[in-house]
C-alpha cells in the first residue's frame, strides 16, 4: 500500500504588497515613483526568469516594483487586470501604508493602487525576487 505524505507549508512573508494600474511603461512609472517618494528605484535583472524589475534599499527596507505581464505570461495569473506590483519588506505599519498609498495616489500616471493581502495569494512567492 502506498503511503502519501503531505507537507503543509505555511508561507509567512514579511512583506507589504500593493497592486498598481497604470498605462505607462515601467521605466516611466518608476521615474514618477522615485520623484514622489524621493527614492532611487533602479533596474535589476532576475537571472532565473530572465525578467527585470526595479528595486532600492533604504536602510533595512527594500522596495521592489515589478511588472505583472511579460513575454512568458503573468507574474500572478489570477490578477491579469493588474499592471504592476510594488512590494515593501519588512511589512509596513497601518499608518505607513496609508501615507504610502496617499503619496502614490497623487501621481497622475497611477490610475489605481490598493493593498494585496499576500496570505490569500497562492502565488505570492513570485512577488519576491530571490537573486
Amino acid at each position: 500500500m502506498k503511503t502519501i505524505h503531505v507537507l503543509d507549508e505555511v508561507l509567512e512573508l514579511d512583506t507589504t504588497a500593493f497592486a498598481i494600474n497604470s498605462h505607462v511603461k515601467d521605466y516611466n512609472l518608476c521615474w514618477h515613483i522615485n520623484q514622489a517618494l524621493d527614492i532611487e528605484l533602479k533596474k535589476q535583472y532576475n537571472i532565473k526568469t530572465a525578467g527585470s524589475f526595479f528595486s532600492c534599499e533604504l536602510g533595512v527596507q527594500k522596495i521592489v516594483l515589478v511588472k505583472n505581464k511579460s513575454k512568458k505570461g503573468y507574474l500572478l495569473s489570477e490578477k491579469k487586470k493588474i499592471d504592476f506590483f510594488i512590494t515593501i519588506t519588512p511589512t509596513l505599519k497601518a499608518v505607513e501604508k496609508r501615507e504610502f498609498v496617499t503619496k502614490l495616489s497623487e501621481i497622475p500616471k497611477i490610475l489605481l493602487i490598493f493593498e494585496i493581502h499576500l496570505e490569500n495569494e497562492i502565488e505570492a512567492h513570485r512577488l519576491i525576487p530571490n537573486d
Side-chain angles (χ1 to χ4, degrees), residues 31-60:
W31 185 86
H32 286 285
I33 291 172
N34 282 343
Q35 297 301 309
L37 300 177
D38 195 27
I39 60 174
E40 290 186 28
L41 288 169
K42 294 183 181 179
K43 195 168 195 171
Q44 308 289 324
Y45 293 95
N46 189 328
I47 297 167
K48 296 174 189 172
T49 63
S52 63
F53 59 93
F54 295 86
S55 72
C56 77
E57 292 187 21
L58 304 168
V60 296

Side-chain angles (χ1 to χ4, degrees), residues 13 43 50 53 56 61 63 69 78 95 106 115 121:
L13 297 173
K43 195 168 195 171
F53 59 93
C56 77
Q61 258 187 355
I63 301 174
K69 188 175 181 182
E78 295 177 353
V95 174
E106 293 172 356
E115 184 179 2
E121 295 297 325

Side-chain angles (χ1 to χ4, degrees), residues 21-32:
N21 276 353
S22 177
H23 294 301
V24 298
K25 302 277 185 190
D26 54 356
Y27 58 87
N28 192 335
L29 180 63
C30 180
W31 185 86
H32 286 285

Side-chain angles (χ1 to χ4, degrees), residues 74-81 120-123:
Y74 292 92
L75 189 62
L76 294 184
S77 56
E78 295 177 353
K79 306 275 188 205
K80 291 181 180 177
K81 294 187 179 188
N120 300 335
E121 295 297 325
I122 296 169
E123 300 172 322

Side-chain angles (χ1 to χ4, degrees), residues 13-17 58-63 87-93 96-97:
L13 297 173
D14 185 27
T15 302
T16 304
L58 304 168
V60 296
Q61 258 187 355
K62 183 172 183 177
I63 301 174
T87 59
I88 300 122
T89 306
T91 302
L92 295 177
K93 297 174 185 162
E96 294 171 325
K97 287 180 192 178

